[in-house]
């Protein structure tokens, strides 16, 4: 596989863009080597600058649950392009997508669109602080909620990949207000709330952690957060930017039957275009300007193109059996990977939540703790990543990211992936 063009583009990018990338996790720092540059995608496949084709398990980090250039999404965008790109004013389609999301996620009574997941979580934190008149917040180690100042504390995703979970440039006054607890540790949360509960504005949590690889909640964890927030008047925020319309039609909250006060969304609801959203209880959301005293705004919020793509995506994912089929296909993939790793004698385990999954080079089964994630064999992962890449399979270039399957991944793609994995496990043993 030649990567000459990607290499040339990378060298050029370095002249103008920090690290040559517009988002750190793309830089391959977690796997070694130089980042690939891509020029197209179709269905389950990505095409790079050297015309190499890859079965794609990143899916633009989650949005492309129906694959690249899904025909319904493209048709919706083409229709909108005939009307206009942006108006800086309201449209009927914004009402329709808001209505659809409120219908599909009953805990959301009012919702506001923004243009990234970071904006969504930043705004949700602000309105939770405005509603409770409290300043302290709780997050969990290894969870990533975008590059919000107060949330870049022991963060996952790219921050963890680069080994910088706590960013420079953030005033201590901000991070002093952020309390970080161990994910899935109910006793730790109960203890913290017993000592500080009445000062806590909100708890923000990924209901399935997807930024320290894929770590589902242990039984009772999410319910314990609900109970404690109720007892202490704190706002419970589910950051479903990744899990929303990814793990189920109603998001992780529908799977685990725990209703948050606020939910953040992104990725899938934009179909690959820039989008985010935050919403929840009307009494909280009515605090937002122009109704209330919590200010939040955005030039391209509710972008007609992003909304058109998002509405097409909601049509696709609402089709009967969409998630059942996707979950089954992911299970087939993961079972096949496990069988091949076991046959090769490689310590390996997987986690799954609907159409997202995690692979761990670890003796631990059912990885549920950040500490277990950090004990994984990164060298094995790096070898696996590169052998898979050289055999036409593109995985997230980090041991701390989840994998995403789409409805465009068919039996052929699953089999090709398993064939590549067999070589990758053998290469680890070589
Ligand atoms: P954005 O601002 O990147 O649109 O969304 C931030 C965000 C918020 N909440 C969760 C649960 C998220 O997973 C994310 C972003 N996810 C990462 C991938 N793990 C984005 C990839 C990147 O940073 O380039």
């Amino acid at each position: 596989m030649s990567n000459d063009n990607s290499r040339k583009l990378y060298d050029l990018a370095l002249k103008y863009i920090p690290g040559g990338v517009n988002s750190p996790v793309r830089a391959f720092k977690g796997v070694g080597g130089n980042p690939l540059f891509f020029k197209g995608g179709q269905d389950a496949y990505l095409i790079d600058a050297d015309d190499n084709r890859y079965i794609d398990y990143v899916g633009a980090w989650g949005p492309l649950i129906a694959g690249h250039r899904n025909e319904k999404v493209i048709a919706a965008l083409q229709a909108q392009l005939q009307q206009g790109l942006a108006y800086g004013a309201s449209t009927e389609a914004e009402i329709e997508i808001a209505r659809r999301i409120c219908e599909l996620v009953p805990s959301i009574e009012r919702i506001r669109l923004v243009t990234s997941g970071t904006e969504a979580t930043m705004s949700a934190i602000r309105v939770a602080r405005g509603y409770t008149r409290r300043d302290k917040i709780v997050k969990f180690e290894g969870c990533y909620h975008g590059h919000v100042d107060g949330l870049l504390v022991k963060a996952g995703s790219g921050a963890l990949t680069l080994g910088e979970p706590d960013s420079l440039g953030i005033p201590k006054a901000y991070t002093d207000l952020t309390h970080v607890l161990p994910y899935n540790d109910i006793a730790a949360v109960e203890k913290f709330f017993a000592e500080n509960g009445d000062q806590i504005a909100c708890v923000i949590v990924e209901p399935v952690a997807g930024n320290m690889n894929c770590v589902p909640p242990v039984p009772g964890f999410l319910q314990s957060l609900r109970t404690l927030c109720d007892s202490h008047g704190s706002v419970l925020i589910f950051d479903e930017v990744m899990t929303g319309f990814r793990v189920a039609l109603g998001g992780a909250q529908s799977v685990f039957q725990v209703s948050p006060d606020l939910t953040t969304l992104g990725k899938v609801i934009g179909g690959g275009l820039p989008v985010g959203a935050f919403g929840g209880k009307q009494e909280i959301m009515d605090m937002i300007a122009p109704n209330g005293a919590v200010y939040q705004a955005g030039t391209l919020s509710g972008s007609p193109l992003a909304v058109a793509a998002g509405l097409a995506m909601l049509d696709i994912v609402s089709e009967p059996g969409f998630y059942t089929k996707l979950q089954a296909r992911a299970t087939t993939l993961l079972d096949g990977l496990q069988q091949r790793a076991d046959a090769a004698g490689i310590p390996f385990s997987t986690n799954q939540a609907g159409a997202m999954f995690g692979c761990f080079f670890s003796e631990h089964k059912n990885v549920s703790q950040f500490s277990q994630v950090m004990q994984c064999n990164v060298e094995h992962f790096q070898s696996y990543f590169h052998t898979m890449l050289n055999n036409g399979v593109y995985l997230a270039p980090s041991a701390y990211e989840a994998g995403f399957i789409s409805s465009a991944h068919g039996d052929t793609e699953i089999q090709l992936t398993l064939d590549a994995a067999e070589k990758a496990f053998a290469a680890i043993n070589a």
Side-chain angles (χ1 to χ4, degrees), residues 47-304:
I47 299 100
D48 74 8
D50 296 278
D51 288 318
N52 299 309
R53 273 165 56 87
Y54 304 90
I55 301 168
D56 177 19
Y57 288 99
V58 178
W61 302 100
L64 303 182
I65 198 167
H68 289 272
R69 300 189 67 251
N70 175 282
E71 57 186 11
K72 288 181 180 172
V73 176
I74 298 297
L77 286 169
Q78 286 170 334
Q80 180 55 43
L81 285 172
Q82 305 310 312
Q83 305 302 319
L85 303 182
Y87 314 121
S90 298
T91 63
E92 181 178 359
E94 288 168 77
I95 306 168
E96 178 59 8
I97 198 167
R99 185 193 68 77
R100 296 276 298 276
I101 294 172
C102 290
E103 188 176 66
L104 291 167
V105 188
S107 71
I108 300 179
E109 298 170 345
R110 294 287 186 279
I111 187 168
R112 167 139 318 158
L113 295 178
V114 293
T115 47
S116 73
T118 295
E119 267 194 272
T121 58
M122 174 179 70
S123 308
I125 297 282
R126 186 181 307 138
V127 73
R129 282 173 160 155
Y131 176 72
T132 59
R133 304 298 198 284
R134 299 175 185 175
D135 296 336
K136 291 185 178 179
I137 64 175
V138 170
K139 77 174 289 283
F140 293 89
E141 186 170 30
C143 285
Y144 176 73
H145 305 288
H147 61 96
V148 187
D149 278 353
L151 295 176
L152 278 177
V153 184
K154 294 191 178 180
S157 185
L160 184 58
T161 301
L162 299 180
E164 304 290 345
D166 305 303
S167 173
L168 281 180
I170 299 171
K172 188 171 179 303
Y174 286 25
T175 53
D176 283 351
L177 293 173
T178 303
H179 298 273
V180 184
L181 297 176
Y183 191 81
N184 273 333
D185 187 335
I186 298 173
V189 183
E190 288 172 341
K191 180 175 185 301
F192 181 83
F193 261 88
E195 295 162 1
N196 306 278
D198 298 342
Q199 301 172 54
I200 302 302
C202 62
V203 173
I204 185 166
V205 67
E206 292 181 60
V208 174
N211 288 289
M212 51 169 146
N213 207 310
C214 178
V215 177
V218 298
F221 175 62
L222 297 177
Q223 186 53 57
S224 74
L225 302 182
R226 178 69 278 167
T227 303
L228 288 163
C229 283
D230 286 342
S231 305
H232 295 276
S234 304
V235 173
L236 179 57
I237 303 172
F238 276 10
D239 178 358
E240 295 224 42
V241 166
M242 184 185 286
T243 56
F245 303 101
R246 167 58 61 177
V247 301
L249 187 56
Q253 56 193 271
S254 69
V255 174
F256 298 102
Q257 289 297 294
V258 175
S259 280
D261 303 305
L262 294 177
T263 298
T264 54
L265 296 168
K267 297 181 191 276
V268 170
I269 65 166
L273 272 71
V275 76
F278 65 105
K281 284 182 176 171
Q282 181 180 352
E283 65 182 290
I284 300 175
M285 291 300 289
D286 278 348
M287 299 284 298
I288 295 276
N291 281 5
V294 177
Y295 196 71
Q296 184 279 328
T299 301
L300 294 174
S301 294
S303 146

Side-chain angles (χ1 to χ4, degrees), residues 12-23:
L12 187 59
L14 286 169
K15 291 182 180 176
Y16 306 104
I17 306 169
V21 292
N22 279 316
S23 198

